[in-house]
Each structure stands twice: as structure tokens, then as C-alpha cells.
Amino acid sequence: GWFFSRGGAGGDMGGAAAKAALKRLIDGEDKAHPLSDQKLCQRMGERGCPIARRTVAKYREELGLPGAAGRREREG
């Protein structure tokens, strides 16, 4: 399950958990068809971790991961 701290300014634990979940989503995606920030945002919501698309982009950048186009791998 998801545990987010409700106290403090923004609750860093929640951010760390969301960032870890985002990394798992990106690690598990089809590299021929990487997920857009919007799609990642939807998947996070489906997993009970709703975050804004701009937050997805921020976390992705903090993880040092490029956008969908930068993650695409050509087959063959």
C-alpha cells in the first residue's frame, strides 16, 4: 500500500515513494513505446498515487531520466 505523511511541508516521504513508483513504471515500460508524462501521470493515479503531470516531469528530471522521446529504443 501507499503511505504518505500528512504532516509537514509537502511530506518528503510521499515524494520519495512517488518517485520510486515512477522509476519502476519507467523501468518496466516498453522501450519501443515509452510512456509520455501524461500516460505516466494516469498510471500513477491508477496505482493510488495521483500526482500532477508537471510533478511527473519534475520527478523524472530529478531521477535524471529523459522524456519519452529520449527513452525510445529502436529495435534491431
Side-chain angles (χ1 to χ4, degrees):
W2 289 96
F3 303 96
F4 290 99
S5 65
R6 288 275 175 251
D12 285 342
M13 239 349 270
K19 207 181 289 187
L22 184 65
K23 184 173 193 320
R24 280 198 299 275
L25 271 179
I26 291 172
D27 286 347
E29 74 189 355
D30 176 358
K31 295 301 182 215
H33 306 97
L35 299 164
S36 67
D37 286 352
Q38 183 61 48
K39 283 269 196 316
L40 288 166
C41 177
Q42 289 167 358
R43 296 280 173 92
M44 291 291 283
E46 288 164 10
R47 282 163 172 70
C49 182
I51 57 176
R53 192 190 57 76
R54 67 177 175 276
T55 308
V56 168
K58 185 178 84 131
Y59 288 170
R60 185 173 49 65
E61 285 166 15
E62 286 174 10
L63 288 163
L65 298 166
R71 298 195 311 275
R72 181 172 294 121
E73 292 176 5
R74 299 242 180 320
E75 292 164 44

